[in-house]
Amino acid sequence: MPTIQEELDRRQMLYSLLMPVMNLYVPGLDKGKGLYFLFVKSETRTPGGLLARPVLTSYYKSEHFKTRPYDPYNVYTSPNEAILCADSFQSMYTQMLCGIYERKQVLRLGAVFASGLLRAIRFLQLNWHQLTHDIRTGTLSPKITDPSVRNCVADVLKPDPELADLVAGECSKDSWEGIITRIWPNTKYLDVIVTGAMAQYIPTLDYYSGGLPLACTMYASSECYFGLNLNPMSKPSEVSYTIMPNMAYFEFLPHEHSSIPLSRDSPPRLVDLAHVEVGKEYELVITTYAGLYRYRVGDILRVTGFHNSAPQFHFVRRKNVLLSIDSDKTDEAELQKAVDNASKLLREVNTSVVEYTSFADTKTIPGHYVIYWELLVKDSANSPSDELLGQCCLAMEESLNSVYRQGRVADNSIGPLEIRVVKSGTFEELMDYAISRGASINQYKVPRCVNFTPIMELLDSRVVSSHFSPALPHWTPERRR
Ligand code: AMP
């Protein structure tokens, strides 16, 4: 995505509006701090030599963020050095450590997306022994090697056996229900995006937080920041975002016409921001200062009302995204290609994939992709082994896009891909079920992604074996495919 320097000013303006809005609903946020798990990712260069990096990385590395003036409403427990440390373990460890030291001051806890906050909880599960050791002794784990991070932690670190006992006591209990408020007792809300694909994480967040309110504050993308939620304490299912007209030029493609290509021959009926109608669904089209021209973001939005004259939108869904665990987005074509590549490995045992579907399993942390396969084993004396199906999992991962592989390799935000082999005839049963619920036989299509409970139950009850990717796929910051 192209971007330009002045875009940082616009992003910062949007950020600067979030706390004034929040103050209308939650008083006293200037009396404490926010524990936000924020991360930078690695950078690369385009073939033409331009710097390429994720939008948030560019924001955290900018002077706008690094030298932000003191604002009592926006004090983070995480030192800049920890946020800016590119090693995700060291960064998370330090942010967690500092957040624990200031546990009583923490009034809000957050990450950009829900998956990031859950990753932090999982990190605590895996590392609380070392963290409490450091707190008890006032020393820093030798795993933290970045000198600037070690330096900044030195200001915070002091032996505090009482705090270490308290945290260790909570973490060693069997149940982690409500762990967030047990460790950070003054948290008033969680600041994470749980609209759209991230809604799948709401039950898990409720479990760990004992049902704290979830605030979805803004709506943004790599292409452009769009707007904010003027009623941030509303229930996630009722959240609407108000698009800020100064962020870009916004147009809307009525969703029923969205299959019509944007061409001169069949001009689509684009509606501008001032003329959208309440209750209708649109696909978002943007023209940005950085040079995107009538670019289809891929988001479907529904107009819910107006703030003065500015329309407000409910995020309905992302077009063409089947699977998403973290910032990865896998569409139907990518999944198809991955299945094609993996199923080539089955040729040696004379087996083919008859049907498949998928599911983003977020019950584990990190979540992972599950692909259901119905196989046609032509030679029953030579059916595919667990090892071969494991290799198929890895072949699928190798075929998925670099954001997926980065999540697997560098960020550990996505777990190993799983193939669940189902009994033959399962997909026919799936079709029977859909038809019994009113689907047309003529127009029935195998869903390439499922999340409806009865269908999941049907599939899972037919699983004959399950197989996981045995290794990490290839990924390097330089490899841009
Ligand atoms: P990326 O460019 O990878 O950061 O992804 C941007 C996309 O994430 C948007 O186009 C949306 O599909 C999704 N997204 C961003 N913010 C929200 C939000 N508040 N609610 C739902 N989806 C969102």
Side-chain angles (χ1 to χ4, degrees):
M1 297 302 154
T3 192
I4 49 175
Q5 178 69 21
E6 65 171 74
E7 227 14 52
L8 282 166
D9 300 334
R10 270 184 284 271
R11 288 179 203 154
Q12 193 178 36
M13 182 180 55
L14 203 160
Y15 284 127
S16 73
L17 293 173
L18 302 181
M19 286 314 282
V21 171
M22 193 52 94
N23 285 330
L24 300 174
Y25 299 90
V26 185
L29 290 172
D30 56 335
K31 306 291 183 294
K33 298 189 177 184
L35 167 50
Y36 281 75
F37 295 96
L38 306 176
F39 300 93
V40 294
K41 291 198 185 189
S42 53
E43 301 179 337
T44 180
R45 296 220 166 244
T46 65
L50 294 174
L51 192 60
R53 54 190 179 180
V55 61
L56 290 172
T57 300
S58 82
Y59 182 69
Y60 301 145
K61 287 193 169 179
S62 72
E63 293 306 312
H64 289 70
F65 180 78
K66 287 196 291 193
T67 58
R68 59 197 183 276
Y70 175 78
D71 169 359
Y73 288 93
N74 245 333
V75 183
Y76 298 141
T77 56
S78 297
N80 280 1
E81 291 82 351
I83 295 172
L84 295 171
C85 172
D87 179 296
S88 60
F89 178 90
Q90 296 187 45
S91 174
M92 177 78 94
Y93 192 94
T94 315
Q95 298 194 47
M96 186 63 83
L97 191 68
C98 297
I100 293 176
Y101 268 109
E102 302 206 71
R103 62 185 280 272
K104 293 220 178 105
Q105 281 92 289
V106 170
L107 301 182
R108 53 202 172 103
L109 224 115
V112 178
F113 287 121
S115 54
L117 187 54
L118 287 172
R119 194 144 33 102
I121 305 286
R122 179 78 191 137
F123 186 90
L124 184 60
Q125 274 174 343
L126 296 174
N127 294 286
W128 64 265
H129 286 283
Q130 181 70 47
L131 285 158
T132 51
H133 169 271
D134 290 4
I135 295 170
R136 193 178 310 283
T137 56
T139 55
L140 185 60
S141 160
K143 287 188 189 158
I144 309 304
T145 52
D146 184 318
S148 67
V149 174
R150 288 197 75 89
N151 253 341
C152 77
V153 181
D155 302 339
V156 183
L157 210 60
K158 55 179 182 308
D160 190 341
E162 212 176 301
L163 175 61
D165 285 345
L166 183 139
V167 175
E170 293 301 344
C171 292
S172 55
K173 287 184 183 156
D174 282 344
S175 164
W176 272 50
E177 187 167 3
I179 192 76
I180 293 181
T181 40
R182 285 196 260 142
I183 295 189
W184 294 281
N186 299 320
T187 317
K188 297 178 188 231
Y189 65 92
L190 300 184
D191 191 342
V192 276
I193 290 174
V194 283
T195 43
M198 293 291 155
Q200 60 193 343
Y201 295 107
I202 294 174
T204 320
L205 285 173
D206 284 347
Y207 177 81
Y208 287 125
S209 74
L212 280 177
L214 299 167
C216 302
T217 55
M218 63 188 280
Y219 170 41
S221 74
S222 311
E223 296 87 336
C224 169
Y225 281 25
F226 306 124
L228 75 173
N229 177 0
L230 291 173
N231 187 4
M233 299 311 274
S234 52
K235 281 202 290 190
S237 56
E238 288 164 15
V239 165
S240 289
Y241 297 100
T242 305
I243 286 190
M244 288 168 51
N246 45 344
M247 301 305 281
Y249 189 74
F250 294 99
E251 291 173 286
F252 298 85
L253 197 55
H255 185 44
E256 58 275 19
H257 298 299
S258 60
S259 55
I260 301 173
L262 292 180
S263 76
R264 277 162 198 261
D265 307 335
S266 55
R269 197 169 53 84
L270 277 172
V271 179
D272 64 24
L273 191 59
H275 295 107
V276 294
E277 292 174 49
V278 173
K280 291 212 168 143
E281 287 188 5
Y282 299 91
E283 185 185 336
L284 182 61
V285 177
I286 54 171
T287 298
T288 66
Y289 291 93
L292 293 174
Y293 179 74
R294 285 194 158 170
Y295 174 92
R296 298 169 80 165
V297 175
D299 290 350
I300 308 293
L301 310 175
R302 183 170 55 247
V303 185
T304 53
F306 289 86
H307 173 78
N308 300 328
S309 318
Q312 301 186 296
F313 297 88
H314 177 72
F315 183 93
V316 179
R317 66 186 172 86
R318 173 124 189 149
K319 264 178 68 182
N320 291 335
V321 170
L322 285 188
L323 293 165
S324 173
I325 295 285
D326 192 48
S327 43
D328 54 305
K329 300 178 192 68
T330 297
D331 67 23
E332 204 164 325
E334 283 171 318
L335 182 64
Q336 174 73 46
K337 193 180 96 217
V339 171
D340 283 350
N341 286 344
S343 57
K344 283 183 195 144
L345 301 179
L346 296 176
R347 283 189 199 149
E348 64 179 72
V349 291
N350 212 3
T351 295
S352 55
V353 178
V354 183
E355 267 308 351
Y356 70 92
T357 189
S358 66
F359 168 61
D361 187 348
T362 52
K363 287 192 273 302
T364 53
I365 305 171
H368 70 289
Y369 288 11
V370 174
I371 317 296
Y372 292 91
W373 269 10
E374 185 172 321
L375 299 178
L376 181 62
V377 182
K378 290 168 202 145
D379 172 5
S380 58
N382 189 19
S383 55
S385 63
D386 174 53
E387 197 195 333
L388 181 60
L389 286 160
Q391 290 305 322
C392 291
C393 295
L394 185 57
M396 290 194 69
E397 296 200 297
E398 294 287 8
S399 308
L400 294 172
N401 62 48
S402 72
V403 178
Y404 173 90
R405 285 178 284 115
Q406 181 172 15
R408 279 282 283 128
V409 177
D411 307 337
N412 194 21
S413 57
I414 306 173
L417 184 143
E418 179 184 359
I419 289 179
R420 292 186 191 161
V421 178
V422 292
K423 274 208 299 233
S424 82
T426 302
F427 278 85
E428 226 170 291
E429 285 186 70
L430 204 69
M431 180 173 85
D432 292 344
Y433 178 79
I435 289 166
S436 75
R437 286 176 50 94
S440 139
I441 304 186
N442 286 323
Q443 286 166 254
Y444 175 77
K445 295 168 207 74
V446 176
R448 290 299 174 215
C449 181
V450 292
N451 56 15
F452 182 50
T453 311
I455 293 197
M456 304 296 310
E457 285 172 357
L458 191 155
L459 285 168
D460 281 327
S461 69
R462 304 294 188 273
V463 171
V464 287
S465 60
S466 100
H467 314 269
F468 287 90
S469 187
L472 293 173
H474 288 94
W475 178 82
T476 59
E478 290 78 38
R479 190 171 134 164
R480 299 189 51 76
R481 288 200 275 130

